[in-house]
Amino acid sequence: MQDINYIKHLNGVFEHFSKDSRLNPTHISLYVALFQIWNHNFFREEFYINREEVMDFSKIGSKSTYHRCIKELSHWKYLLYTPSHNPFKGSRIKMFNFGTSTEQVLYSSSTKIETSTGQALVPINKHIQTIENSKNINKRQILENSNSENGENHLASVPYQDNLKTSSDKNYDDPL
């Protein structure tokens, strides 16, 4: 059984992922599924997998995609894959340790997206939209006030009809 630090290993492998342009989301999903199975096997040197289980964990729906990705991960030295060709004995997997450091890892900026330790900024577009919508409630009043101040009354020729009766309480005895 290997001495694997879960967090350090994931940080290390994700750093490799960010630098490797050959990988796509399916490779990463498959690797994370295999890592989870490795964790359930207490980080043994080698463990056996069931293809259906791994495909289910990684959300891969095609056997050809699964086989292509696991062979590529093995070829690119993310893991060692030994197929069994026996449906009663799973394929053998050996995972490599990417969290090799025994000291605390401190990254000031580990990726190109420049993550920081500062406060996250949340876009306020939704809040502005809500404020604008609340302003529109009184739009008719504002428009009437501005027209009456200018001495012009363009709305006088078009009477306002409240067909839906939204300006006052609805009388439910009225026919539809």
Side-chain angles (χ1 to χ4, degrees):
M1 188 163 43
Q2 296 183 32
D3 186 27
I4 302 294
N5 182 312
Y6 191 96
I7 301 297
K8 288 181 183 178
H9 178 87
L10 284 179
N11 284 339
V13 79
F14 282 131
E15 185 174 340
H16 277 76
F17 288 166
S18 68
K19 296 175 184 175
D20 193 344
S21 62
R22 301 170 296 186
L23 296 171
N24 65 39
T26 309
H27 291 100
I28 296 169
S29 174
L30 178 59
Y31 185 89
V32 170
L34 291 169
F35 179 75
Q36 190 63 23
I37 294 170
W38 188 32
N39 181 30
H40 286 301
N41 283 284
F42 304 104
F43 298 112
R44 291 191 186 121
E45 177 120 2
E46 293 179 340
F47 60 98
Y48 294 90
I49 59 169
N50 176 311
R51 184 189 68 226
E52 288 81 19
E53 180 183 54
V54 176
M55 287 177 66
D56 188 45
F57 281 169
S58 61
K59 306 298 185 209
I60 297 174
S62 166
K63 289 179 188 176
S64 61
T65 301
Y66 166 80
H67 286 293
R68 177 183 52 83
C69 288
I70 198 165
K71 287 176 184 176
E72 288 174 344
L73 286 172
S74 182
H75 180 73
W76 297 332
K77 306 290 188 232
Y78 284 98
L79 51 89
L80 181 63
Y81 168 66
T82 309
S84 71
H85 306 293
N86 182 348
F88 301 106
K89 182 181 178 187
S91 297
R92 188 174 53 187
I93 299 290
K94 179 180 179 182
M95 304 286 281
F96 301 121
N97 189 355
F98 285 92
T100 56
S101 173
T102 57
E103 299 176 10
Q104 182 178 2
V105 180
L106 298 174
Y107 297 111
S108 61
S109 179
S110 61
T111 62
K112 292 180 182 177
I113 57 172
E114 298 181 12
T115 55
S116 69
T117 57
Q119 181 179 0
L121 299 176
V122 178
I124 59 169
N125 294 343
K126 183 66 177 172
H127 304 294
I128 291 172
Q129 182 183 4
T130 305
I131 291 169
E132 292 298 321
N133 288 344
S134 65
K135 288 180 184 177
N136 287 338
I137 293 172
N138 299 323
K139 192 173 188 177
R140 182 173 174 265
Q141 261 184 336
I142 293 168
L143 185 60
E144 286 177 352
N145 290 342
S146 67
N147 285 337
S148 62
E149 288 173 2
N150 294 336
E152 301 172 3
N153 196 354
H154 295 291
L155 294 178
S157 62
V158 180
Y160 175 72
Q161 294 181 352
D162 189 9
N163 294 333
L164 297 176
K165 300 184 180 178
T166 56
S167 61
S168 62
D169 291 333
K170 183 173 174 128
N171 183 358
Y172 289 99
D173 295 327
D174 288 347
L176 297 174

